[in-house]
Amino acid sequence: MEDMIGKAAREFVDIFGENATHYGDAPGRVEVIGNHTDYNDGFILAAAIDRRIAVVGRRVEGALARVYSRTFNSGASFPVAEPLKTKDNPWLNYVMGVVWQLRNKGIGVDAFEAMVLGDVPLGAGLSSSAALEVATASFLRALNGFEMDPIDVALNSQAAENDFVGMNCGILDQFTSAMGRSERLVFLDCRFLDRYSYYPLGNGVKLVIANTKAPHALVDGAYNRLRASCFRAAAICAEKFPDKKISHLRDVNPEELDQCRTAMGDEDYRRARHIVTENARVLASAEALQRGDYRAMGGLMADSHASSRDWLGNSSPELDVMVDLALEIPGCFGARLSGGGFGGATINLVGADRAEAFAEKLGERYREKTRIDPEIHLFTAGPGAEGGKL
Ligand code: ADP
Ligand code: MG
């Protein structure tokens, strides 16, 4: 089977009439456990998935970058020295954001032509946006020959999404896309990005992503409100325990949090409680994986969902239905909402030999119960981003 880079190279010739010389490509990702822990300086286990976005292209004369997205069947250009956010082609903002952030770091790039092609499902909680940013950065690094290690590629891409696109995501998405490995989960300590490690996720299990496809409720700003709660709670804990030098909820244990309960009010307390218990679940999950104990890992995933639902408050009726149904189907070790919440997708850890049947049954039962057609995908953990010469 022709890979994504090869296909993109063929499409490039089709549109631009010349051969592409360089490529970057990067996977989508899924948060396996660690819900909203990233911006609290906490822990996460995530996988790069075996779906990717490729960016291929070549250097050209002049001042413009010309980019074509096969996914959107549209092309657009922008001045490489001065990318400006556009409403006409929202997808181009992810590419421009990367160029813009490289310039902020003092790295200029030459004019180029590029083709974008991928099979990461869009807006399904699999971070196609991070895949596009990281693939773009990997392509530009190869094309322009500057040095940048994969963690800086991830940070550059996150800054592009935060400061250019205007989406306040944590580092998880871009880090996992840049640093993922086949048959491994990435363990990330969001405080010390160089303290990452890998845990085995062998061929015996599959990651099943079930998108609820429910219309998002009116949750504009909900993500930012959760963030604000967490930061307020951490500030109150810091005041109460000045010697502990608390900067984020990562530094707080459940007992300390309980001592600050009345000072912070119920809503902030409940949200913070999820974070401090979730960090412990991520650490326990890593140990379970090391032992190959998927049953224990699955139990922690189910606990994580209950905590997101009952304490953080970012589940939805459809997410709860999807998780409850999954846990009753044979072969399922664990299920939980994944990502921001308030809709979106669940992640399920399922025995590989049962995964197809599981996906089918889950889809059927969800449809019966909600009258909504879900979208269900099977993934394995794949490699992280690459870039180079074609
Ligand atoms: P998610 O990251 O969860 O998939 P986002 O809304 O953050 O959802 O990002 C999706 C956006 O990323 C798309 O609407 C599009 O602008 C851009 N994008 C994703 N994949 C591609 C692609 N193959 N080609 C061009 N743009 C893409
Ligand atoms: Mg995204």
Side-chain angles (χ1 to χ4, degrees), residues 135-294:
T136 300
S138 303
F139 161 69
L140 290 173
R141 179 182 57 185
L143 184 69
N144 293 277
F146 57 83
E147 297 284 324
M148 186 175 267
D149 70 41
I151 295 181
D152 283 329
V153 165
L155 285 167
N156 192 87
S157 299
Q158 183 202 14
E161 182 139 355
N162 290 168
D163 303 335
F164 191 87
V165 177
M167 168 64 202
N168 232 339
C169 58
I171 187 63
L172 165 74
D173 305 352
Q174 292 81 4
F175 191 94
T176 311
S177 181
M179 302 291 289
R181 275 197 197 164
S182 292
E183 294 181 35
R184 296 283 183 279
L185 292 190
V186 185
F187 173 88
L188 176 58
D189 179 335
C190 298
R191 170 161 293 170
F192 305 103
L193 290 184
D194 53 346
R195 287 194 206 163
Y196 57 90
S197 48
Y198 296 94
Y199 288 86
L201 189 78
N203 286 322
V205 285
K206 289 237 187 249
L207 302 170
V208 180
I209 312 297
N211 189 342
T212 58
K213 285 297 186 94
H216 277 240
L218 269 184
V219 290
D220 262 4
Y223 179 87
N224 284 334
R225 280 199 294 280
L226 294 187
R227 277 175 74 109
S229 267
C230 291
F231 295 150
R232 273 197 305 270
I236 285 171
C237 294
E239 218 168 279
K240 173 105 178 167
F241 302 103
D243 298 342
K244 279 206 69 187
K245 308 237 176 304
I246 291 166
S247 69
H248 291 77
L249 286 175
R250 165 353 179 335
D251 305 308
V252 178
N253 64 40
E255 294 72 37
E256 289 158 353
L257 184 69
D258 281 346
Q259 291 180 47
C260 302
R261 183 170 189 162
T262 42
M264 65 180 62
D266 197 49
E267 189 172 69
D268 288 356
Y269 169 78
R270 297 184 72 81
R271 290 170 174 170
R273 186 191 140 111
H274 163 79
I275 304 298
V276 300
T277 58
E278 184 78 348
N279 276 327
R281 281 186 289 273
V282 178
L283 295 173
S285 298
E287 282 173 22
L289 280 177
Q290 200 63 65
R291 301 192 303 271
D293 188 347
Y294 296 131

Side-chain angles (χ1 to χ4, degrees), residues 30-37 43-47 172 185-188 274 277-286 289 296-305 336-339 347:
V30 62
E31 167 203 303
V32 180
I33 190 165
N35 196 223
H36 284 253
T37 47
F43 310 122
I44 302 172
L45 279 163
L172 165 74
L185 292 190
V186 185
F187 173 88
L188 176 58
H274 163 79
T277 58
E278 184 78 348
N279 276 327
R281 281 186 289 273
V282 178
L283 295 173
S285 298
L289 280 177
M297 167 85 196
L300 290 157
M301 290 170 71
D303 292 348
S304 167
H305 182 76
R336 55 180 289 276
L337 72 82
S338 178
I347 167 123

Side-chain angles (χ1 to χ4, degrees), residues 110 114 120 153 389:
D110 292 335
V120 183
V153 165
K389 243 173 130 67

Side-chain angles (χ1 to χ4, degrees), residues 29 53 69-72 90-92 94 116-130 132 161 167 173:
R29 68 89 190 99
I53 293 180
S69 163
R70 188 39 98 195
T71 308
F72 288 89
W91 60 268
L92 189 66
Y94 299 92
V116 178
L117 182 72
D119 63 0
V120 183
L122 274 65
L126 297 166
S127 216
S128 64
S129 60
L132 177 52
E161 182 139 355
M167 168 64 202
D173 305 352

